[in-house]
Amino acid sequence: MDSIVCIKRVPETAEATLKIDSSNLKLDEENLVFSINEADNYALEQALLLQEEFGGDVTIVSVGPEKTDEIIRMALAKGATSGIRITPSNLEELDPASIAKLIADEVKDLDYDLIFTGCIASDDGFSQVGVTLAEMLGINHISMAVEMEAEEETAKINRELEGGLMEKFEVKYPAVITIQTGINEPRYASILGIKRAGSKELKVVEASEAKAEKVKLEKIYFPPPGKMAEIFEGGPAETSGKVAEVLKTKGLL
Amino acid sequence: MSKDIYALAEHRQGEMRDVTFEILTKAKILAKETGGSTVAVILGSGIDNLAESLKSYADKVVYIENDKLGHFHSEYYQEALKSLFEERKPFLMVMGHTSVAYELAPSLALKLDIPVITGCIDFRIDGSSVYSVNSVYGGKVNAEYSFNSENGGIVTILAGSMPAEEGGLSGELEKVSFSFDLEFEDKIFLQFVEAVAGEIDITQAEKIISIGRGIKEEENLAMIQELADSIGGVVACSRPIVDAGWLPKSRQVGSSGKTVKPKLYIAIGISGDFQHLMGMRNADTIIAINKDPNAPIFGAADYGIVDDLFKVVPALKDKVAELK
Ligand SMILES: Cc1cc2nc3c(=O)[nH]c(=O)nc-3n(C[C@H](O)[C@H](O)[C@H](O)COP(=O)(O)OP(=O)(O)OC[C@H]3O[C@@H](n4cnc5c(N)ncnc54)[C@H](O)[C@@H]3O)c2cc1C
Ligand SMILES: Nc1ncnc2c1ncn2[C@@H]1O[C@H](COP(=O)(O)O)[C@@H](O)[C@H]1O
């Protein structure tokens, strides 16, 4: 069973202090750490699990700058077979449909049963690339997979709905499955895997100017300050003392 | 091109979903601006009553009945909506950014060759352009995207980002007959699968001490449990804690977990992403402990401590013991 996994390089922003670049179109990347998008790490693991069960190749595809090689190599270290990095000259102008088109052009002639993507990229939060890619390739898709039982030609998949409810679908390959976090336990790369990754194939496609599709990013900005909590000042003893007092006054102890 | 704003009504297991009223409210406001009508679109089987219930929210309720639409299936939905769209050419179609839209919106837009912006928290129309506000980078930054909607477009809005108002309209019902030429046998809906109930029902708890990825290691949960015990609350969490297998799914607060409304919610090491806030923002008193002063959780909280949770939590436990 051959799979393709689409992974995206994204900045880790949860704990970082962010600055906006003077273009107002992207973050100032200077002090940011980048890694594989969270959901894509689960997508990769799902492909590796199927590879262990059924054999076959796992091909990694990522559209991004040269530094994307780091996350592709890490995926190769975990056991993926080979990688493709696509670097168009106008990366920043591209909407999800343009990204999907670049991926579709690159993978359409490959042999594959399944294409895995994350269900959402943690930076733009669009949840589009996987489903768009499926439509471009003319194949089935299931989004937000949280459980998957795969067989040779079909899979039963639980999609996540709101509030913890799920719906079970059966889908025939070829198909795109977009993976939600928590579906499996992503592995770490072994030292040996990291050594081997260096000699695996990583194809680089320097796409010239890619066609920018219909949606344009106008600007990014910090959300206007809204309602804000009353922040207690001082060391842990003081601040926690104030919280405890609030609890007591409100009858919450 | 018409000036009409269409909104896709979402229903599940016989019930209209709240997001439907949010997007219809937004559609109504926009339709006033464009001078078009607000049109609610509902697809399904045996949905007369549901269609009826939308009349006060729209100028027109278009409903497509077919057995194959009995359960949400993106391919059938896509076929039906594509044909409706091509025939009536709405200016814009609004959907909730929900599990329905994830599966449907991007491929429908591609099929129609029209633009789509997903997951916005607001948007506006200016002439033939649509401008969105998207919350990106975990809620720390906003982005504005735009597209030209001359040939139509699709926008999906996060559920809970807009208020739902009373309708006040009296729309006419229009039943559209639609038959499918194709059977989508390669993708079949089998059944709903309910979430497993937990040993503790956090929706019933008056006090919730909730933990997020800031806890770092599973062992550190013991410290949170101790704090919860001393306050007399239960421990809940954000999604990554469940993904890691440290707490059962039944303890997850948020859009894909539980919605809670306790008297007290203490969020510890939780950034406050939209999906989490959806599940707890209506708690009476919210206290956040986070070392990042810019964490969005402080926008939802009443009181906050900006500090290392590993210092604050033990201190808080002691103070609580003193004051009890
Ligand atoms: C369709 C969908 C549904 C989702 N449903 C849910 C849901 O139901 N519930 C949910 O919670 N999420 C949900 N998510 C995930 C959500 O988008 C966020 O990824 C998640 O809420 C982040 O969890 P977190 O705040 O614990 O982690 P992070 O965002 O990583 O934040 C960790 C926080 O801990 C702080 N921190 C770190 N160390 C310390 C320390 N020592 N002291 C103090 N603070 C510290 C950091 O500053 C940071 O703010 C969903 C996502 C999708 C796409
Ligand atoms: N630049 C990219 N390169 C490869 N895959 C991507 C890229 N952008 C998005 N994806 C895939 O599509 C998923 C959804 O992304 P998005 O539509 O941006 O939310 C991600 O989780 C990735 O699997």
Side-chain angles (χ1 to χ4, degrees), chain A residues 6-8 37 40 62-63 117-118 120-121 124 126-129:
Chain A
C6 301
I7 63 174
K8 184 177 191 184
N37 177 48
D40 304 357
S62 188
V63 180
T117 74
I120 187 170
D124 59 41
F126 277 133
S127 296
Q128 284 190 30
V129 170

Side-chain angles (χ1 to χ4, degrees), chain B residues 78-119:
Chain B
Q78 184 164 317
E79 280 293 304
L81 289 172
K82 177 173 177 272
S83 116
L84 188 75
F85 219 100
E86 285 174 343
E87 193 186 299
R88 313 200 175 193
K89 306 200 182 344
F91 178 72
L92 197 65
M93 173 121 195
V94 189
M95 302 183 192
H97 189 58
T98 59
S99 57
V100 166
Y102 293 134
E103 186 84 352
L104 174 69
S107 51
L108 176 62
L110 190 78
K111 194 129 211 169
L112 286 163
D113 198 21
I114 59 173
V116 58
I117 297 178
T118 44

